[in-house]
Amino acid sequence: MEKKMKNKTSVATQEGDRCPDNSAFKQQRLPAWKPQLTIASVLSSFFLTGAFCLAVGVCLVLSANSVREIQIDYSDKCSDCSKLRENSSNWNKECHCSINFTLKEDILGDVFMYYGLQNFYQNHRRYMMSRSDAQLLGRNVNRSYCAPFSTYRNGTPMAPCGAIANSMFNDTIDLFYNGNSSVIQVPLLKTGNSWWTDKNVKFRNPKSHNLSSAFAGTAHPPYWQKPVYLLDEEDERNNGYVNDDFIVWMRVSAFATFRNLYRRLRRTRHFADGLPAGNYTFRISYNFPVTRFKGRKHVILSTVVWSGGSNPFLGIAYVVSGAAATLTGFVITGIHLKLRKKKTYFQKQ
């Protein structure tokens, strides 16, 4: 008996040691607030949520519809250049085409130029992995992730390496305004088109007294026409891995149809207020082939508003959510009135 009592005492002592402290937090005695759901509070929350989402959605849709945008598909209009580019042996031959269009009304404010690609799948896993983020930070590291675009057969490393860099969009697009007596080239800005974090954190050039020596011993990717340190011959600061066009391209898209920012209007002289109405011409140096994968190419001129570009998806999502919340509120109201009538009927019985 004594042994059994001792065993019970030891077990109770061990269980007591495992018990939480007698505190409000560990014993779950903290003060708490539990909402009392009544029909008035439930219905008011649904109707207020619906009204808020509907108001925000309508504002977003109207804002997106106010964006001025012009989109021109130049895949077929530059068909001769497209056929030339399908033969890889013609890589060193230049090909230009011109596209005329008319602005019936002024486009006021900041104007942005985009290039658009259709049926180009940047979201393929092997394509997305074919890059070296360490190399883009200016480090000399292993480029195994870049295969098969890492080194040439003679052992010369590619800079930059990888399939994403190798397939960089390289059409050159210039815009001209056809005035009454002269043709004026529209001033466009090449820099300032990338995110600050990309330009200053994710992309850096190798440290050296000049870029050409920093990339000594490397070669440009096979589909490039010039080395990475000569991407912008007019602005030395916009070369190497910090080139804006290169940075924008390296941010891959999740969808097969996408657009990337290419240029911004420099608002000076004739274009201080935006693009005036009149006749314009796109002069395109055609280099990027799209026929083999049945793709299309576009050039887009667009403005922006406080909510962004011309994509109405967010506004439509808010409108649908608001309509669903409001409809749910009416359904709950109908159910409540029906049940209340039944309750009143049985009470009278």
Side-chain angles (χ1 to χ4, degrees):
M1 280 297 288
E2 291 181 0
K3 289 184 178 180
K4 290 182 178 180
M5 291 296 292
K6 288 181 180 179
N7 291 336
K8 289 182 179 179
T9 304
S10 63
V11 170
T13 304
Q14 291 176 1
E15 290 179 352
D17 293 340
R18 290 196 297 268
C19 286
D21 296 336
N22 188 21
S23 63
F25 178 76
K26 293 187 177 181
Q27 294 297 333
Q28 300 183 5
R29 294 195 301 267
L30 290 173
W33 177 78
K34 182 179 180 181
Q36 299 296 325
L37 297 179
T38 62
I39 188 63
S41 62
V42 171
L43 288 178
S44 61
S45 63
F46 272 103
F47 284 122
L48 288 175
T49 302
F52 172 78
C53 290
L54 285 172
V56 174
V58 170
C59 291
L60 290 173
V61 170
L62 293 176
S63 176
N65 290 337
S66 67
V67 173
R68 295 287 308 280
E69 181 175 296
I70 296 174
Q71 179 171 312
I72 298 175
D73 187 332
Y74 65 94
S75 305
D76 297 331
K77 296 180 180 180
C78 299
S79 57
D80 294 337
C81 292
S82 178
K83 293 177 183 178
L84 181 71
R85 286 289 171 256
E86 293 309 316
N87 189 346
S88 58
S89 62
N90 298 324
W91 66 270
N92 59 343
K93 296 181 180 179
E94 293 186 1
C95 189
H96 302 271
C97 60
S98 298
I99 301 172
N100 299 319
F101 67 98
T102 301
L103 286 182
K104 297 181 180 179
E105 298 179 358
D106 297 345
I107 299 181
L108 302 177
D110 295 327
V111 181
F112 299 84
M113 180 189 292
Y114 301 83
Y115 62 84
L117 290 177
Q118 185 177 339
N119 206 37
F120 189 92
Y121 289 85
Q122 284 190 316
N123 57 359
H124 193 283
R125 181 177 177 274
R126 291 187 63 185
Y127 180 88
M128 294 177 62
M129 294 290 293
S130 184
R131 61 185 293 165
S132 173
D133 291 323
Q135 184 197 45
L136 298 177
L137 284 171
R139 303 170 187 170
N140 188 11
V141 294
N142 182 18
R143 302 175 180 85
S144 58
Y145 287 110
C146 294
F149 300 101
S150 55
T151 58
Y152 285 95
R153 292 182 179 179
N154 60 3
T156 304
M158 298 182 190
C161 68
I164 305 176
N166 182 59
S167 60
M168 177 180 168
F169 184 84
N170 57 351
D171 283 2
T172 302
I173 306 172
D174 294 316
L175 180 61
F176 292 86
Y177 174 63
N178 304 318
N180 296 329
S181 58
S182 61
V183 177
I184 304 172
Q185 183 171 3
V186 179
L188 301 173
L189 296 172
K190 298 181 180 180
T191 57
N193 301 325
S194 59
W195 296 352
W196 185 92
T197 51
D198 288 342
K199 192 85 170 180
N200 297 276
V201 179
K202 296 182 179 180
F203 293 83
R204 295 176 184 172
N205 285 325
K207 294 182 179 179
S208 181
H209 63 279
N210 60 61
L211 275 181
S212 59
S213 61
F215 290 99
T218 65
H220 60 76
Y223 288 172
W224 285 30
Q225 299 176 354
K226 59 178 72 174
V228 67
Y229 54 87
L230 291 178
L231 289 177
D232 189 352
E233 298 180 4
E234 298 177 358
D235 187 356
E236 295 181 356
R237 296 172 298 178
N238 192 35
N239 276 313
Y241 298 146
V242 296
N243 176 266
D244 274 63
D245 291 338
F246 175 69
I247 291 175
V248 170
W249 177 258
M250 292 299 290
R251 193 187 312 123
V252 296
S253 172
F255 301 101
T257 299
F258 61 93
R259 63 175 64 178
N260 284 336
L261 182 59
Y262 182 66
R263 296 289 184 265
R264 292 178 298 125
L265 175 66
R266 184 178 180 183
R267 297 173 63 178
T268 59
R269 297 185 179 181
H270 300 283
F271 311 98
D273 298 326
L275 291 178
N279 298 320
Y280 289 84
T281 300
F282 281 121
R283 292 184 185 175
I284 301 170
S285 177
Y286 197 105
N287 298 305
F288 194 85
V290 295
T291 306
R292 289 191 177 182
F293 58 87
K294 298 179 181 179
R296 312 286 298 179
K297 292 194 293 186
H298 307 85
V299 58
I300 304 115
L301 293 175
S302 177
T303 59
V304 295
V305 290
W306 61 271
S307 60
S310 62
N311 190 350
F313 173 78
L314 185 60
I316 294 174
Y318 266 101
V319 170
V320 171
S321 300
T326 304
L327 180 62
T328 304
F330 281 116
V331 171
I332 294 176
T333 302
I335 294 174
H336 170 67
L337 294 176
K338 186 176 181 181
L339 292 177
R340 190 172 65 175
K341 287 181 179 179
K342 286 185 177 181
K343 185 178 179 180
T344 305
Y345 172 78
F346 284 116
Q347 286 177 347
K348 289 180 179 180
Q349 294 294 327

